[in-house]
Amino acid sequence: MEETDREAVATAVQRVAGMLQRPDQLDKVEQYRRREARKKASVEARLKAAIQSQLDGVRTGLSQLHNALGDVKDIQRSLGDVSKDWRQSINTIENLKDVKDAVVQHSQLAAAVENLKNIFSVPEIVQEAHGLIEQAELLQAHRKLMDLECSRDDLMYEQYRMDVKNTHDMNLIRNYFGEVQNLSEELAKQLWMVLQRSLLTVRRDPTMVVSVVRIIEREEKIDRRMLDRKKQTGFIPPGRPKKWKEKMFEVLEGTVSTRIEGSQSDTRESDKMWLVRLLEITRKYVQDDLIVIKNLMIQCFPPNYDILNKFFTLYHKALSVRIEELASEDLEANEIVSLLTWVLNTYKSAEMMGHPELTTEMDVDSMGPLLPKEVVDQLLSKYIQIFTSNITGWLRKALETDKKDWKKDTEPEADQDGYYQTTLPAIVFQMFEQNLQVAAQIDEIFKQEVLRLCLKQMTSFLIRYREEAIAYKEDHMRDRQHPQCYVQYMIAIINNCQTFKESISSLKKKYSKTEFDENDAAIDSTLDSVAKDGCVYLLDEVFMDLEQHLNELMTKKWLTGSNAVDTICVTIEDYFNDFAKIKKPYNKEMTFEAHRRVVIEYIKAVMQKRIAFKNPDERKEGAERMIKEAEQFKFLFRKLSAGLGEDTDRLCDTIVALAEVFKLTDPTLLYLEVSTLVSKYPDIREDHVLALLAMRGDASREMKQTIIETLNQNKPLSTVNVQPVFRDIVVPTMTVTKLLK
């Protein structure tokens, strides 16, 4: 207490010191004193009120404890009195056993009297109920059934209460009411029959469906009441619980399954489109049924049945089972696509479960997949296998058909621009297009897979196409008279390569999201090879016809006035009337290659030393003839390559350059002329120079040797950008020593 007083004084001192820090504050001492006095009075008042409240609470608590003590004593006295009365009444209770038995017997007799009418009229009531069932008066029939069952159950219950072990009397009652159980089963059959036809019945007479539901609801209530009594007494009447509501959903499930399974009327043997027809019928049935259920059936069931949701589930389950059965069959490729398209797209679309009238009541997306993912993957894998096998066969058959056309005696068809073509590219890409359109109906990933497979098969197909083109050429070489339209069909084969390229590009642009595919390079390379081979085969045909005239070049006959080059030009121009029907870019390559081969064959004639000029006049005449013929070739190929952007002069200038060597009159300048030639054409070899000098005829052995040695010492570097001319020209076998003579 003293410690508290000291703390209080210390606190007061601090407060006073804080108030009186300046001299002018001494004038306010009285004001401060009054303010602190008011605060003190206020605190004392609140403290007194709190203490008084605590005291009142304690006083009230003590009063209640005193009252509780009195109540406990009263209860104790009452329990003593009850115990005394109970001990005195034990003997009295034992003396009332006879009364108890009489009460039970009275209860049984009362139940018997109450059900006396039904007991004596069981056969008549059963017969009446059967008649009502036949007349479709199901509610009245059920009312009579309930009365009979109630009488039977009450009697059996009273017997059970009296003597649970008396099975004889229980069996006697059960047998007497035996027809009641048969009546219940017959009524149930009628109910299930109505439910099985409920989708038709609800359109004509919805009250019948309502009656069935009311009967089932009554039975459900009775089932619950009987089960509750069983918990209390252990007694349950025969046939309970009936579980008709559970049975109702089983019947509806069976009805839906039968409805789905019964929609198939055709087989593959009778109709190739059996699956498409089946799926369309199923779609129509399911959609119509659910709309009827939503608009009519839902009104016949209590809300707690959630009947629309139940039917959605039943149809989904039945469809899933049926679709899995179809998926397990040996389906063809088009049937697999039809099935998957229906499952993945049609099923949840507005044409079926996503119909506007249904989506307001049901979330389609909440339903699980109709087919498990592994089954879908198996079907896709099976389709790829079948498609791979089929497309290989289709491509082989298309190529065989095209090969037959190659042997026709009539020219191939031309497109709108006049280019020869066959139907092969159109057939192949129509086939690809159809399968890609089908694949696109399933999903994007599968479409890409089919496109990749098409391009892969295209790679293999083009290899066979090239082999067949080679075989076609070889067959023609054995007998050049057949087939008559060999040139035209070879042109068509070349043009097909460009058509294939354009079609592949169009197909990828339409169906692919990627610009490059692993098969692109192989396809382009093979197509270019087929086209270039075709161009070579056609030029082989041309030069076989020119062989006789090419052999006349650089001979005595040629020097004295042969018209071999005139014939060569006319023949080439004639062939190019057909070659003009080759598509770009192969027409340009064809023209360039023809030009190159003509020049090379001409130079070969020079290098074969068919003639050696004997004097300056022959050299001059030969040189002038070569220059003239070079101009003829220039004129021809300018005409053939018009609009193609080809440089036609350079190759022909090679012939002019060789003529300049022959035209030179001063042998001492021969080295300079040859050096100029070699600098223009770095690929010219030593044997070429020797053959050229041998044809000139006036170069001595020493001169030849000097020229060769000097050229070897000052050999020019090869120019990468210069097209080689002499590289592929082979000088006939002849030793250098012989050429140097």
Side-chain angles (χ1 to χ4, degrees), residues 625-686:
R625 191 170 186 84
M626 289 174 67
I627 294 170
K628 175 188 175 186
E629 290 171 348
E631 290 298 323
Q632 284 183 265
F633 289 142
K634 283 184 182 180
F635 177 79
L636 171 64
F637 285 103
R638 282 174 186 160
K639 180 178 179 182
L640 296 180
S641 61
L644 300 179
E646 183 190 345
D647 180 10
T648 59
D649 292 348
R650 184 182 175 279
L651 284 169
C652 292
D653 286 343
T654 309
I655 299 175
V656 176
L658 295 178
E660 291 297 332
V661 175
F662 299 141
K663 191 176 180 181
L664 185 68
T665 56
D666 186 355
T668 59
L669 300 176
L670 194 56
Y671 167 71
L672 293 176
E673 194 65 42
V674 172
S675 298
T676 303
L677 178 67
V678 173
S679 64
K680 284 185 179 180
Y681 305 98
D683 61 320
I684 196 167
R685 299 191 300 274
E686 181 180 318

Side-chain angles (χ1 to χ4, degrees), residues 558-559 613 617-627 659:
W558 169 78
L559 188 60
F613 299 125
D617 292 338
E618 283 189 358
R619 284 191 287 276
K620 180 181 179 183
E621 185 179 353
E624 290 176 350
R625 191 170 186 84
M626 289 174 67
I627 294 170

Side-chain angles (χ1 to χ4, degrees), residues 139-178:
L139 282 174
Q140 296 182 34
H142 185 250
R143 171 56 63 187
K144 293 186 177 296
L145 173 63
M146 285 196 302
D147 292 342
L148 291 173
E149 287 182 336
C150 182
S151 299
R152 179 197 64 184
D153 297 345
D154 287 347
L155 290 173
M156 293 184 75
Y157 176 62
E158 294 301 333
Q159 179 61 40
Y160 179 84
R161 287 177 60 195
M162 185 174 69
D163 187 1
V164 69
K165 296 181 180 179
N166 189 351
T167 58
H168 178 269
D169 290 347
M170 292 288 279
N171 289 333
L172 183 65
I173 297 172
R174 183 183 290 109
N175 292 335
Y176 184 78
F177 285 90

Side-chain angles (χ1 to χ4, degrees), residues 515-531:
E515 295 183 0
F516 180 77
D517 186 87
E518 57 185 7
N519 298 297
D520 288 355
I523 290 174
D524 286 345
S525 175
T526 306
L527 285 172
D528 286 339
S529 296
V530 173

